[in-house]
Amino acid sequence: MAKRYIILFLNCILIGNVNAQKTNLAPSNPVTDEYFGTKIIDEYRNLENLKDSNTVNWIKSQSDYADSVLNKLPYKKYFVDERFKFDKRNGYSTSDLKITGNNLYFYLKKASHEKNPKLYYRTGFKGKETFLYDPATFVSTFDPNAGKKHNFNINFISPSWDGSKIAISLSENGKEVSEVIIIDVKTKYIYPQVITNLIPTMVGQVKWLEDNNSFFYTYFPVTNSDSPDFSKNTEVTFYRLGEDPKKRKNVFSRINNPELKIDEGRFPGIVQFNQEDPYFIGNLGDVDDFTDTFIIDRADFEKGIKSWKPLYYKEDKVYEKKPVGKEVYFISGYNSPNFRLCKTSLEKPDFKSPEILVSEKKDEIIQNFEITKDGIYYSTTKNGVDARLYLYRNGRDIPIKLPFIAGNISIQTKGKNYSDVWIYCSGWANETQRFKYDLKTNSFEDENLVPLIAYPEFKGIVIEETSIKARDGEEVPLTLIYKEGLKKNGNTPVLIEAYGSYGISSAPFFARSYLMWAQKGGILAIAHVRGGGEKGEKWYKGGYKRTKPNTWRDLIDCTEYLIKEGYTVKDKVAIWGVSAGGITTGMAITERPDLFKAAIIGVGVTNVLRNEITPNGPQNVPEFGSFTKPDEFKALLEMDAFHHIKKGEKYPAVLVTAGINDSRVISWMPAKFAAKLLANDISNNPILFKVDYKGGHGNAGVDLAHAYANVGEIFAFAFWQLGHPDYQPKENTKK
């Protein structure tokens, strides 16, 4: 009983702090906009000026207050310590493995005591490991202080065809703009020329030509996210080693090819090609999986002739493609929402009536494929959580039994002229394992660069894949992760994660943070809501623009199912959404504030009506819509959580985060949402707004210590609010 009274006393102190915090309201200068006869009041338009001292000071004060609370939550320290303990047990980790045709293995490796990964390579899987590059030695071309300490991270590597050179992309503190250096692998010579103005997350990376001395990349003329021209008028650049990168050779862009009428907000990029292919293929990218795509004869390109021609358009629904000689293999979504594997001629292409290699499957979604000397390996998924592997060979569709039941698989090859093929298998409770497949013996052999480590802490964790019936009758897949022997007594803390945009599936991966939550007695749930890709294009379009309400209502229905079935109760439920998942989570708490005890909205799109005017906004118009069109404006307003906050409502406890270097979801958007919540909420629940001043879009590009601290705060906040007795604040929480 004494412990209970102490907890109640400490919570009373925190309630006092919360009430004090809620008197520190953001400055408000309302602006009224009119859209097609509808007047919309924006109470915090002034916060969009991130250079205004009042805005800067208010954001800083809120972030400092959030830190003062979060840093004292016991689970955060436990989480960070435990993650480092796991890393120490592993010894090291590897990532971004690239294999060349001559069997050179390039990869990033981080020892448990190191801050950031370094670049290594070896000849063959069993070859001697050789150190190649440490990002800590990089000096940026934009560094005004030559002696300033930096924290650069490698965000991609690209070896040349023969592995004699390798391009290394580096960025700092979560910034998505990178600089690229080139290293001669044998001599470790670093070319003095530095390629700048890449944003590798937005469009294709370095693609080498067969001379191993030149490559394509996409150049962004404006990389300052504060500029209205950010990410506009990008261009595919041809570069040869030793040349001055500032004297760019623009080969595919709106400026270079005015006859193609390329929109200034589209990202041109070159599709991966083979050394002897007679054509180059170029995409015009945005957030849509389907693109407008063009082709040029390589002979014309080498002569400098501007003869790019249309190959296909978005409405042809080509999902993924791989050119091989005068043909192209592709995944088609045309009249096949679960997709089919096809090919057509590049000289006389027909993407709507192509040669069908693998027909659409009833309950499986074709995800990806790779071409080898022996045939086409491809993977499928059922409900986004049940992965399967096939080989299409000599007109036959051959299923391949996996080494174990996997929730997610990816395929890696050396190229179309080789038989070598590897697969990566993973699941919610299975660490990713890498296997080499032998077609002759139909067998798999372990080929992991990192030894597999046992996790006795997670013994007895149950993975339950189920589905719930939504209010309109749709079956929504739901993943539940919990400890064996769970009792449905309504006393279990539940954290539900949901996303639901861009057709992206919440695919299984070895999520130690989820398993740690379950090990402490909670349920970690993943609601595979509409707007994602778990059940094909139909599922995606079921949570898209005008149908977007299905996304958050699926989350609400999943929550009510868990309560109805006795897993939990309202006061034990927290929901969590990141980036576009901010729409899902933000709208769920504004539509049903009574249903949840807490919500975490990480770098979230919470003011989508204004998203179009943000640095990354124009590229997202195909996904969410434009306020310049009447129907799409209505859809945007309906999914805008900021405009659904009501005065005098009791909202759940909310943790809102932003990244100061985030160019995808600009930091004023979460700030406005937090400001309006603080001004309108009448509950005693905390509303915390935290800005990561050393990061960008979530944990992208930050070191592991920083990432672990960020995730630890999320889980600590949830356990605190859901009343886990071991993770309540200590006595020194009072300011």
Side-chain angles (χ1 to χ4, degrees):
M1 290 294 290
K3 182 176 181 181
R4 178 173 177 269
Y5 287 128
I6 290 172
I7 291 173
L8 288 172
F9 171 71
L10 294 174
N11 281 333
C12 286
I13 292 175
L14 274 176
I15 288 170
N17 283 345
V18 166
N19 289 332
Q21 178 228 5
K22 289 183 177 179
T23 63
N24 180 24
L25 300 180
S28 173
N29 295 314
V31 172
T32 300
D33 297 310
E34 185 169 336
Y35 304 89
F36 308 103
T38 301
K39 291 184 178 180
I40 304 295
I41 299 174
D42 185 340
E43 299 91 338
Y44 292 98
R45 180 68 56 81
N46 53 295
L47 294 185
E48 294 181 10
N49 182 2
L50 293 173
K51 294 182 179 179
D52 179 78
S53 59
N54 291 326
T55 297
V56 171
N57 293 336
W58 181 79
I59 288 176
K60 184 66 166 60
S61 69
Q62 289 296 315
S63 191
D64 288 346
Y65 175 77
D67 279 334
S68 74
V69 174
L70 296 169
N71 287 338
K72 294 179 177 67
L73 298 179
Y75 190 84
K76 177 182 176 180
K77 183 178 186 306
Y78 162 79
F79 181 89
V80 174
D81 291 347
E82 197 76 356
R83 291 306 305 264
F84 278 120
K85 184 177 79 174
F86 294 154
D87 290 349
K88 189 174 181 180
R89 187 186 305 172
N90 278 75
Y92 62 92
S93 60
T94 64
S95 61
D96 205 13
L97 172 64
K98 300 290 182 1
I99 305 173
T100 62
N102 55 351
N103 217 30
L104 291 179
Y105 283 52
F106 294 91
Y107 51 94
L108 303 180
K109 177 180 176 182
K110 191 190 86 67
S112 60
H113 66 277
E114 293 177 324
K115 193 170 186 178
N116 292 317
K118 300 173 183 177
L119 176 60
Y120 295 81
Y121 78 100
R122 62 176 71 172
T123 302
F125 172 64
K126 296 181 180 179
K128 180 183 176 182
E129 181 176 84
T130 301
F131 166 76
L132 196 54
Y133 185 72
D134 182 352
T137 63
F138 178 67
V139 178
S140 171
T141 57
F142 302 110
D143 186 3
N145 292 309
K148 184 181 177 182
K149 186 177 180 181
H150 289 280
N151 183 31
F152 280 95
N153 216 340
I154 299 174
N155 53 34
F156 80 78
I157 57 174
S158 177
S160 61
W161 289 96
D162 64 359
S164 63
K165 319 285 191 319
I166 187 166
I168 304 170
S169 172
L170 302 112
S171 59
E172 185 178 25
N173 290 337
K175 295 178 182 178
E176 297 193 80
V177 179
S178 72
E179 300 171 72
V180 171
I181 61 171
I182 311 298
I183 295 183
D184 183 286
V185 173
K186 186 176 181 180
T187 65
K188 297 186 182 179
Y189 171 74
I190 301 175
Y191 286 78
Q193 296 83 11
V194 178
I195 312 297
T196 64
N197 294 52
L198 283 83
I199 305 182
T201 56
M202 287 189 177
V203 78
Q205 302 167 356
V206 167
K207 292 182 173 62
W208 290 86
L209 278 78
E210 55 268 31
D211 64 2
N212 300 297
N213 282 298
S214 57
F215 53 79
F216 296 112
Y217 71 96
T218 299
Y219 176 85
F220 286 71
V222 179
T223 57
N224 179 4
S225 60
D226 292 333
S227 170
D229 294 322
F230 172 73
S231 77
K232 292 181 179 179
N233 292 312
T234 56
E235 59 190 54
V236 172
T237 298
F238 173 78
Y239 179 74
R240 191 177 301 279
L241 295 186
E243 295 179 344
D244 183 355
K246 294 180 181 179
K247 297 178 180 178
R248 298 186 310 281
K249 295 180 181 177
N250 184 342
V251 296
F252 178 41
S253 70
R254 179 172 182 261
I255 294 172
N256 189 65
N257 306 96
E259 74 282 0
L260 300 181
K261 299 180 180 179
I262 298 173
D263 184 88
E264 66 177 2
R266 305 288 292 281
F267 304 130
I270 300 294
V271 174
Q272 191 65 52
F273 51 86
N274 303 294
Q275 295 183 69
E276 64 274 22
D277 284 349
Y279 300 100
F280 290 131
I281 296 175
N283 277 343
L284 296 182
D286 51 32
V287 297
D288 198 335
D289 286 329
F290 304 130
T291 64
D292 295 331
T293 300
F294 300 84
I295 188 170
I296 189 172
D297 189 294
R298 185 182 287 217
D300 288 343
F301 175 83
E302 291 171 353
K303 292 176 184 176
I305 300 172
K306 298 180 181 181
S307 59
W308 289 95
K309 299 176 182 177
L311 181 62
Y312 60 80
Y313 294 102
K314 282 190 174 190
E315 53 265 30
D316 292 314
K317 295 193 173 182
V318 175
Y319 177 66
E320 181 183 348
K321 66 272 188 184
K322 299 184 189 299
V324 176
K326 295 183 178 181
E327 295 178 320
V328 61
Y329 294 78
F330 62 100
I331 296 175
S332 172
Y334 189 76
N335 291 332
S336 51
N338 287 1
F339 302 112
R340 54 190 179 181
L341 187 59
C342 308
K343 78 171 181 177
T344 191
S345 165
L346 286 172
E347 295 183 329
K348 295 182 179 180
D350 187 346
F351 289 94
K352 292 183 177 177
S353 300
E355 180 181 347
I356 299 171
L357 306 179
V358 178
S359 298
E360 183 180 21
K361 298 177 185 290
K362 182 180 178 182
D363 296 320
E364 300 172 51
I365 312 301
I366 296 178
Q367 283 198 304
N368 54 62
F369 72 98
E370 294 291 342
I371 300 172
T372 70
K373 184 179 179 181
D374 302 314
I376 303 174
Y377 291 89
Y378 71 95
S379 69
T380 69
T381 183
K382 182 177 181 180
N383 287 343
V385 295
D386 180 4
R388 301 171 191 189
L389 179 67
Y390 295 86
L391 170 62
Y392 174 81
R393 187 185 190 201
N394 299 327
R396 294 178 58 214
D397 191 23
I398 306 167
I400 299 173
K401 186 178 180 181
L402 294 170
F404 59 85
I405 296 174
N408 187 27
I409 61 174
S410 60
I411 307 167
Q412 184 176 30
T413 70
K414 287 166 63 173
K416 71 178 185 65
N417 297 325
Y418 303 89
S419 294
D420 305 74
V421 61
W422 297 264
I423 64 162
Y424 294 78
C425 296
S426 61
W428 300 116
N430 300 101
E431 188 154 24
T432 301
Q433 295 184 51
R434 181 173 176 269
F435 298 92
K436 187 169 187 179
Y437 178 64
D438 188 323
L439 177 60
K440 293 180 180 178
T441 61
N442 188 29
S443 61
F444 289 94
E445 180 182 358
D446 278 330
E447 207 176 87
N448 292 295
L449 291 176
V450 180
L452 292 177
I453 303 299
Y455 291 88
E457 299 90 342
F458 303 143
K459 185 179 180 181
I461 299 296
V462 174
I463 310 298
E464 181 183 343
E465 301 290 2
T466 186
S467 63
I468 67 103
K469 185 164 285 190
R471 64 191 72 185
D472 61 357
E474 284 284 359
E475 293 286 334
V476 181
L478 178 65
T479 299
L480 302 177
I481 304 173
Y482 54 84
K483 199 171 183 179
E484 193 175 30
L486 175 77
K487 295 180 181 179
K488 295 183 181 180
N489 57 12
N491 198 39
T492 304
V494 176
L495 177 59
I496 310 174
E497 184 181 17
Y499 186 70
S501 286
Y502 306 108
I504 295 174
S505 299
S506 296
F509 66 103
F510 186 57
R512 296 171 184 84
S513 54
Y514 295 178
L515 301 176
M516 289 167 63
W517 177 276
Q519 195 266 341
K520 291 299 179 185
I523 297 174
L524 195 295
I526 299 95
H528 302 276
V529 297
R530 275 172 279 187
E534 284 85 348
K535 298 172 76 171
E537 189 186 14
K538 182 181 177 182
W539 197 248
Y540 168 39
K541 295 301 184 183
Y544 172 84
K545 292 186 179 178
R546 294 178 66 183
T547 61
K548 195 66 180 173
N550 288 327
T551 302
W552 64 83
R553 286 168 188 161
D554 284 350
L555 173 57
I556 290 170
D557 292 348
C558 285
T559 304
E560 292 188 321
Y561 165 84
L562 292 173
I563 294 170
K564 180 182 177 182
E565 293 298 313
Y567 286 96
T568 191
V569 292
K570 292 180 180 180
D571 283 346
K572 295 287 184 179
V573 178
I575 54 176
W576 176 22
V578 176
S579 192
I583 296 174
T584 312
T585 307
M587 285 304 306
I589 65 169
T590 54
E591 188 161 304
R592 286 294 307 277
D594 62 303
L595 189 58
F596 313 101
K597 182 64 175 73
I600 300 100
I601 303 175
V603 294
V605 182
T606 48
N607 187 196
V608 70
L609 188 59
R610 294 286 290 168
N611 192 60
E612 193 172 347
I613 62 96
T614 69
N616 194 36
Q619 291 76 42
N620 284 278
V621 167
E623 175 68 19
F624 303 126
S626 172
F627 59 70
T628 64
K629 299 177 181 179
D631 288 347
E632 293 188 355
F633 153 69
K634 291 179 182 178
L636 286 168
L637 182 59
E638 192 170 11
M639 68 178 85
D640 190 306
F642 173 80
H643 285 298
H644 282 77
I645 296 171
K646 299 175 183 176
K647 193 165 189 65
E649 183 64 78
K650 291 183 177 181
Y651 288 102
V654 182
L655 170 60
V656 182
T657 71
I660 202 67
N661 295 320
D662 193 346
S663 59
R664 291 198 230 179
V665 179
I666 195 165
S667 55
W668 58 249
M669 189 175 293
K672 288 175 65 178
F673 184 76
K676 192 170 181 180
L677 266 183
L678 282 166
N680 289 275
D681 175 51
I682 61 170
S683 77
N684 288 322
N685 295 319
I687 294 170
L688 304 182
F689 175 49
K690 176 182 169 64
V691 178
D692 186 345
Y693 286 96
K694 294 182 179 179
H697 194 62
N699 287 326
V702 301
D703 61 73
L704 282 180
H706 195 80
Y708 290 166
N710 287 343
V711 179
E713 288 175 346
I714 290 168
F715 283 78
F717 179 81
F719 261 142
W720 166 37
Q721 287 303 307
L722 301 187
H724 194 299
D726 297 337
Y727 295 106
Q728 297 305 299
K730 302 303 181 185
E731 292 181 37
N732 62 353
T733 301
K734 185 176 180 180
K735 290 181 69 177

